[in-house]
Amino acid sequence: MWLLVITTILWAFSFSLIGEYLAGHVDSWFSVLMRVGLAALVFLPFLRWRNIKLKVILLYMAVGACQLGIMYLLSFRAFMYLTVAEFLLFTVLTPLYITLIYDLISGHRLRWSYLFSALLAVLGAAIIRYHQVSEHFWWGLLLVQAANISFAIGMVGYKRLMEVHPIPQHTAFSWFYLGALAIAAIAWCLWGNPNQLPTTNLQWGILVWLGVVASGLGYFMWNYGATQVDAGTLGIMNNMHVPAGLLVNFAVWHQQPHWASFLIGGAVIVASLWVHRRWVAPGSAV
């Protein structure tokens, strides 16, 4: 659980850095390639293939391609149309995707109690940003929802793989990032603009931080933490990035939030986690 909390704080800065310094300035396909490429380098020393079936390797690469590769490609494009606050608003349905997808791929009966606690988290995130939606609403919404679904498939897929085909997690992540890198490399070759590369040390520094820290270490901690909690808690924790990301955006760029909705929405998200842990799935690990 604490790994999820630490990663949420770590990622809270990523949204603003991308929205303020990279979106519209640096080619989005290149940004994705750099981010997953550096993350792959972090875990390259742990790459192993002996005594691991080819099918298992390909499955870990596939979940990496979904959770990071495709998700990043869609997310970076979405920032072209959305403010940081709007992007965060449009991620509120992710807990529902997580709980539904986990039940589908694990063969469980649909657990309505999990959906209830996830809906509380969605409600809390929606309360925070219920107003000030721009004219790019529909296109941005579609891009972010596609990214959310891809992220949920990858995250739940990783959790499920660790249940049915467990291997050391640092080894799993070496293949995970290579899967994401393959998708990013293809996208750059097809659509990349070499005339829109980073031009300042700040932009390069942000890409290095996003690749090595936010992605390389962050996703390892997040997915490792995901294997230690139930799917409902995982879904709810995924929405904690909304108040965290907005708070960073407000504090660093001195934007004035609607404090009443921010505090009420944040309280609802925290309450949804407490309800889930207290009554829906106390002590559950799956």
Side-chain angles (χ1 to χ4, degrees):
M1 182 67 178
W2 282 108
L3 285 175
L4 300 182
V5 174
I6 293 170
T7 309
T8 297
I9 296 171
L10 185 68
W11 285 348
F13 293 88
S14 299
F15 301 104
S16 291
L17 290 174
I18 294 170
E20 300 292 338
Y21 293 111
L22 299 182
H25 305 290
V26 178
D27 180 72
S28 59
W29 312 114
F30 180 79
S31 295
V32 174
L33 181 64
M34 277 289 295
R35 188 167 183 177
V36 298
L38 289 171
L41 282 177
V42 171
F43 279 84
L44 193 59
F46 305 110
L47 190 68
R48 301 288 186 276
W49 55 84
R50 290 182 180 176
N51 301 320
I52 304 176
K53 294 181 179 179
L54 178 61
K55 173 186 174 182
V56 175
I57 289 175
L58 292 176
L59 285 172
Y60 278 105
M61 291 182 69
V63 296
C66 283
Q67 188 177 346
L68 288 193
I70 297 173
M71 183 275 289
Y72 275 158
L73 293 175
L74 294 167
S75 295
F76 272 80
R77 296 302 292 178
F79 274 109
M80 299 289 293
Y81 304 95
L82 304 172
T83 66
V84 174
E86 288 167 347
F87 182 93
L88 288 166
L89 166 64
F90 296 157
T91 65
V92 299
L93 294 179
T94 306
L96 296 181
Y97 301 144
I98 291 172
T99 54
L100 287 171
I101 292 170
Y102 184 81
D103 282 347
L104 286 174
I105 70 172
S106 62
H108 289 160
R109 225 167 20 98
L110 186 62
R111 291 172 286 189
W112 295 104
S113 58
Y114 277 41
L115 281 177
F116 172 72
S117 52
L119 276 170
L120 281 178
V122 168
L123 175 62
I127 288 172
I128 292 173
R129 292 295 297 183
Y130 69 92
H131 63 315
Q132 296 180 358
V133 177
S134 76
E135 62 185 14
H136 300 296
F137 177 86
W138 293 112
W139 183 234
L141 176 65
L142 289 175
L143 280 172
V144 176
Q145 294 318 303
N148 291 343
I149 292 171
S150 180
F151 178 80
I153 291 172
M155 181 164 50
V156 173
Y158 182 88
K159 177 176 172 62
R160 186 59 180 162
L161 274 175
M162 276 295 162
E163 294 170 353
V164 297
H165 297 296
I167 61 175
Q169 297 216 41
H170 52 280
T171 299
F173 253 74
S174 64
W175 292 109
F176 177 94
Y177 283 124
L178 286 179
L181 181 59
I183 293 295
I186 292 171
W188 165 250
C189 291
L190 291 176
W191 304 300
N193 180 6
N195 297 318
Q196 202 177 10
L197 299 182
T199 56
T200 68
N201 290 335
L202 178 61
Q203 291 171 340
W204 283 109
I206 289 172
L207 285 174
V208 170
W209 187 87
L210 291 173
V212 175
V213 181
S215 291
L217 300 179
Y219 276 97
F220 177 75
M221 291 192 297
W222 182 268
N223 281 25
Y224 187 92
T227 64
Q228 310 300 311
V229 300
D230 63 274
T233 299
L234 181 60
I236 293 168
M237 282 302 302
N238 190 79
N239 254 11
M240 289 299 289
H241 73 268
V242 177
L246 287 173
L247 192 58
V248 168
N249 193 244
F250 297 152
V252 176
W253 280 271
H254 306 293
Q255 298 186 16
Q256 268 310 109
H258 187 277
W259 283 111
S261 61
F262 180 81
L263 294 174
I264 293 171
V268 171
I269 293 176
V270 174
S272 70
L273 182 60
W274 181 77
V275 167
H276 182 83
R277 302 286 286 187
R278 179 67 176 80
W279 285 304
V280 175
S284 177
V286 294

